[in-house]
């Protein structure tokens, strides 16, 4: 569910994101969604792959090559370069020699963190069947700088669901190494004159951010940054607690810095440095939102959920998330627009315990999230779990989350229980971390809650919600919007979700009517 929202005085307009394709823009630009092929970022495959979809229970084995195969095989994998940049697409050329490829042969791509102990063959992150090759060349990418080296391995089928590795490529390394600051995103804070910048890299000693107003040559510097990370043992249950290159892997260090003394509705340039003599980011531009209660003309927000949706029928599935980001970028580039924030209402990366997908997601959203405030809610695929609640960062661990008898609140997070989301996205600190919070921009007061926590009267979140709604000064922010992942109303006859919508409606609708909430935005249901 994706909308562009425009607040204009006393009028709210909602339009489907797809309609952005018909709007007038400047010169034609390359569609970056077309860069996404196989093996690198955010591709949902139409097939289950050589060993099935579940990385925790891959239903195949890998045998040692037998003497006959070794004697007959001089197959090689060649690469144009062993040093690449973040987001490069790599062409792997298969030189079979005397070897005769079969229709069951495939090439897997691996993220090698420890060169002395490379990952086992089952831990491939992506694959490409040889039957899809053109002139024995396969394209993988864009490849993300995940603080590892990349490697390609060629496999053939030996029967009984077993594969044999025929060849492997040399390691491919990233030009700027693991200290390159990436996954850059910005967020609004409780202070309307400050914004938070977040990024990820390997550990560095003295990172800093330089920033300057577009109309000024005065460069300011923020030296004090916060840093955090998380381990497999911090999360609640498997898959998230399983250490493997295709499940939990070191997420790097997540840094954040607050840029103070910003003017409202102004454009700033900024650059992130990993330290003196260390890699730095490219120069980004961010747009600050209008001050609360002040608005000059139209202020617009993007509102959507479920970016990593895995249910859309092929062939659209192969580029759907990248296309969504590209359409947002195009709309933002329209000089007539004034977009100041993205409100991502839950179901972000769909990592569900496959930690490398958080790296992929960070790279995917960076072109948008680095320019305007990227504000998030938690959905079922970030939070829901069934055991290990003492690790729940939201404080709801005594009951292992929220499990009303009417609901279908299972273990949709793959055991993450909100830990990666809470670490990677710091929201305004007036509620409960990423789980519920509020912020004001221009004429709008945005309140975000979690549909995955107890929203019944008397609960901790309900009490906070009523206090937040009661505090809104409608003479300053006449528009009051609520964001939560699951909807209060549904258009499909899916019994489990329908029962949840009735429960949300029963418990929240009277409160929202009491405080005259203008609109409620949700995700969860996927456009088809």
């Amino acid at each position: 569910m994706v909308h562009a929202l425009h607040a204009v005085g006393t009028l709210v307009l909602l339009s489907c994101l797809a309609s952005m394709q018909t709007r007038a823009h400047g010169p034609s630009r390359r569609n970056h969604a077309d860069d996404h092929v196989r093996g690198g970022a955010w591709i949902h495959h139409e097939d289950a792959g050589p060993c099935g979809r579940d990385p925790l229970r891959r239903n195949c084995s890998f045998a040692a090559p037998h003497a006959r195969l070794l004697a007959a095989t001089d197959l090689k994998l060649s690469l144009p370069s062993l040093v690449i940049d973040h987001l490069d697409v790599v062409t792997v050329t298969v030189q079979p020699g005397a070897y005769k490829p079969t229709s069951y042969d495939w090439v897997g791509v691996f993220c090698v963190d420890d060169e002395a102990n490379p990952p086992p063959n089952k831990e491939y992150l992506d694959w490409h069947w040889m039957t899809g090759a053109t002139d024995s060349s396969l394209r993988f990418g864009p490849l993300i700088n995940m603080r590892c080296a990349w490697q390609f391995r060629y496999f053939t089928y030996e029967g009984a669901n077993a594969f044999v590795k025929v060849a492997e490529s040399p390691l491919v390394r990233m030009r700027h190494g693991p200290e390159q600051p990436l996954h850059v995103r910005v967020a609004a804070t409780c202070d309307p004159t400050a914004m938070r910048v977040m990024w990820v890299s390997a550990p560095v000693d003295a990172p800093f951010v330089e920033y300057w107003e577009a109309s000024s040559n005065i460069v300011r510097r923020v030296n004090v940054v916060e840093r955090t990370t998380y381990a497999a043992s911090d999360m609640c249950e498997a898959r998230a607690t399983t250490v493997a290159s295709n499940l939990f892997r070191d997420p790097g260090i997540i840094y954040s810095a607050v840029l103070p003394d910003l003017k409202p509705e102004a454009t700033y340039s900024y650059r992130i440095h990993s330290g003196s003599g260390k890699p730095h980011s490219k120069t980004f531009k961010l747009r600050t939102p209008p001050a609360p209660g002040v608005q000059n003309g139209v202020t617009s927000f993007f509102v959507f959920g479920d970016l990593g949706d895995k249910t859309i029928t092929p062939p659209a599935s192969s580029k759907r998330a990248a296309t969504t980001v590209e359409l947002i970028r195009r709309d933002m580039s329209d000089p007539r627009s004034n977009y100041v924030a993205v409100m991502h209402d839950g179901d972000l990366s769909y990592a569900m315990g496959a930690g490398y997908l958080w790296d992929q997601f960070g790279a995917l959203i960076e072109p948008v999230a680095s320019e305007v405030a990227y504000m998030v809610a938690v959905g079922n695929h970030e939070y829901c779990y069934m055991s290990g609640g003492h690790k729940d960062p939201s404080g709801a661990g005594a009951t292992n989350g929220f499990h009303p008898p009417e609901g279908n609140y299972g273990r949709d997070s793959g055991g993450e229980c909100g830990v990666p989301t809470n670490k990677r996205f710091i929201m305004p600190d007036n509620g409960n971390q990423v789980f519920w919070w509020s912020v004001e921009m221009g004429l709008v007061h945005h309140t975000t809650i979690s549909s995955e926590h107890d929203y019944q009267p008397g609960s901790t979140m309900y009490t906070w919600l009523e206090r937040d709604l009661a505090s809104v000064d409608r003479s300053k922010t006449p528009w009051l919007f609520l964001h939560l992942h699951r909807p209060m109303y549904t258009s499909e006859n899916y019994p489990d979700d329908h029962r949840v919508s009735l429960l949300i409606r029963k418990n929240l609708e009277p409160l929202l009517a009491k405080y005259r909430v203008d609109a409620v935005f949700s995700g969860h249901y996927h456009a088809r």
Side-chain angles (χ1 to χ4, degrees), residues 380-396:
N380 52 305
H381 288 294
E382 282 78 55
Y383 180 74
C384 286
Y385 67 98
M386 299 292 288
S387 63
H390 60 287
K391 301 176 183 178
D392 182 343
S394 73

Side-chain angles (χ1 to χ4, degrees), residues 210-221 263 267-271 283 285:
E210 294 178 317
Y211 67 105
W212 58 96
E213 193 173 357
S215 59
S216 171
N217 293 322
I218 300 175
V219 177
R220 288 180 278 179
R221 173 169 164 165
K263 298 177 183 177
T267 300
Y268 287 83
S269 298
Y270 67 100
R271 185 166 51 240
T283 299
K285 291 185 182 294

Side-chain angles (χ1 to χ4, degrees), residues 362-401:
L364 176 74
I365 66 170
E366 183 183 275
V368 170
S370 60
E371 295 187 10
V372 296
Y374 199 94
M375 314 300 289
V376 305
V378 295
N380 52 305
H381 288 294
E382 282 78 55
Y383 180 74
C384 286
Y385 67 98
M386 299 292 288
S387 63
H390 60 287
K391 301 176 183 178
D392 182 343
S394 73
T399 56
N400 288 316

Side-chain angles (χ1 to χ4, degrees), residues 121-167:
N121 292 326
K122 273 192 176 183
E123 294 183 13
Y124 58 88
L125 301 190
D126 213 332
W127 71 91
H128 209 317
W129 295 109
M130 279 303 297
T131 53
T134 301
D135 297 329
S136 299
S137 293
L138 307 172
R139 296 179 71 224
F140 288 88
L143 294 179
I144 308 299
N145 185 346
M146 300 204 304
R147 306 164 303 283
C148 65
W150 290 96
Q151 186 181 52
F152 305 91
R153 302 177 192 172
Y154 188 107
F155 298 94
T156 190
Y157 185 61
E158 282 291 290
N161 217 27
F163 294 93
V164 171
K165 183 177 72 175
V166 177

Side-chain angles (χ1 to χ4, degrees), residues 75-84 90-95 107-112 115 118 140 143 148-154 165 167-174:
L75 182 145
K76 295 180 180 178
L77 302 178
S78 66
L79 305 167
S81 175
L82 299 183
V83 178
I84 63 173
V90 173
T91 299
V92 179
T93 300
V94 179
Q95 299 172 317
V107 175
V109 60
F110 295 79
C111 182
V112 182
E115 296 181 20
F140 288 88
L143 294 179
C148 65
W150 290 96
Q151 186 181 52
F152 305 91
R153 302 177 192 172
Y154 188 107
K165 183 177 72 175
E168 64 182 34
S169 75
L171 296 179
V172 179
R173 294 176 173 83
M174 287 288 168

Side-chain angles (χ1 to χ4, degrees), residues 25 54 65 67-68 80 82 156-157 168 171 217 264 268 270 293 338 342 352 356 360 365 415 428-429 449 491 508 525:
H25 296 284
D54 188 349
R68 178 182 58 80
L82 299 183
T156 190
Y157 185 61
E168 64 182 34
L171 296 179
N217 293 322
Y268 287 83
Y270 67 100
N338 185 28
V342 169
M352 298 180 289
Y356 73 94
Q360 310 281 9
I365 66 170
D429 59 355
I449 62 172
S491 58
L508 292 185
Y525 273 81

Side-chain angles (χ1 to χ4, degrees), residues 140-452:
F140 288 88
L143 294 179
I144 308 299
N145 185 346
M146 300 204 304
R147 306 164 303 283
C148 65
W150 290 96
Q151 186 181 52
F152 305 91
R153 302 177 192 172
Y154 188 107
F155 298 94
T156 190
Y157 185 61
E158 282 291 290
N161 217 27
F163 294 93
V164 171
K165 183 177 72 175
V166 177
E168 64 182 34
S169 75
L171 296 179
V172 179
R173 294 176 173 83
M174 287 288 168
R175 189 180 314 278
H176 298 293
E179 296 177 339
Q180 182 180 11
L182 295 168
H183 313 166
V184 178
R185 51 199 178 273
V186 296
T189 69
C190 289
D191 180 354
T193 68
M195 293 189 74
R196 184 181 299 275
V197 179
M198 291 164 277
W199 69 95
V200 174
S201 80
V204 294
D205 292 331
F208 61 92
V209 181
E210 294 178 317
Y211 67 105
W212 58 96
E213 193 173 357
S215 59
S216 171
N217 293 322
I218 300 175
V219 177
R220 288 180 278 179
R221 173 169 164 165
V222 175
N223 293 311
V224 179
V225 298
E226 302 171 43
R227 62 189 74 200
T228 188
T229 190
Y230 55 93
S233 58
D234 293 327
M235 291 181 280
C236 291
E237 54 190 3
R239 303 179 316 184
T241 55
T242 305
V243 178
S245 62
N246 63 331
L247 289 166
F248 176 82
R249 62 182 304 276
D250 185 348
I253 304 298
I254 303 158
Y255 298 92
S256 71
V258 174
L259 309 185
D261 303 320
L262 302 178
K263 298 177 183 177
E265 299 184 85
T267 300
Y268 287 83
S269 298
Y270 67 100
R271 185 166 51 240
I272 299 164
H273 294 258
S274 289
S276 179
K278 301 283 188 178
H280 60 76
S281 73
K282 69 178 185 180
T283 299
F284 297 96
K285 291 185 182 294
L286 71 84
R287 177 74 177 170
T288 58
V294 178
Q295 183 164 303
N296 299 309
V298 176
T299 298
S300 303
F301 308 87
F302 291 101
V303 184
F304 61 86
D306 305 74
L307 186 60
D309 163 31
K310 294 184 177 180
T311 64
I312 298 178
T313 303
S317 62
S318 64
K319 294 177 181 176
R320 64 186 178 276
T323 298
T324 297
V325 172
E326 180 64 21
L327 290 173
I328 292 173
R329 290 183 67 200
R330 288 185 177 185
D331 216 45
M332 287 170 56
S333 69
D334 187 338
R336 299 166 298 178
S337 70
N338 185 28
Y339 288 96
V340 298
V342 169
M343 313 299 290
H344 190 156
D345 289 342
D347 282 7
L348 311 181
S349 73
Y350 282 74
M352 298 180 289
Y356 73 94
L357 287 177
W358 281 110
D359 282 295
Q360 310 281 9
F361 180 73
L364 176 74
I365 66 170
E366 183 183 275
V368 170
S370 60
E371 295 187 10
V372 296
Y374 199 94
M375 314 300 289
V376 305
V378 295
N380 52 305
H381 288 294
E382 282 78 55
Y383 180 74
C384 286
Y385 67 98
M386 299 292 288
S387 63
H390 60 287
K391 301 176 183 178
D392 182 343
S394 73
T399 56
N400 288 316
F402 184 46
H403 299 284
E406 302 91 336
N408 56 350
Y409 293 81
R411 42 172 46 98
D412 293 347
S413 76
E416 290 185 352
C417 61
V419 172
T421 308
N422 193 49
K423 292 286 190 178
R424 291 174 179 271
F425 294 92
I426 301 176
M427 294 294 105
D429 59 355
N430 55 4
N432 183 7
Q433 306 170 94
V434 76
F435 303 100
W436 50 89
W437 50 270
S438 65
V439 71
E440 293 184 340
M441 300 180 187
L443 303 182
V444 182
H445 181 102
H446 295 275
T447 299
T448 294
I449 62 172
S450 167
S451 61
E452 314 313 305

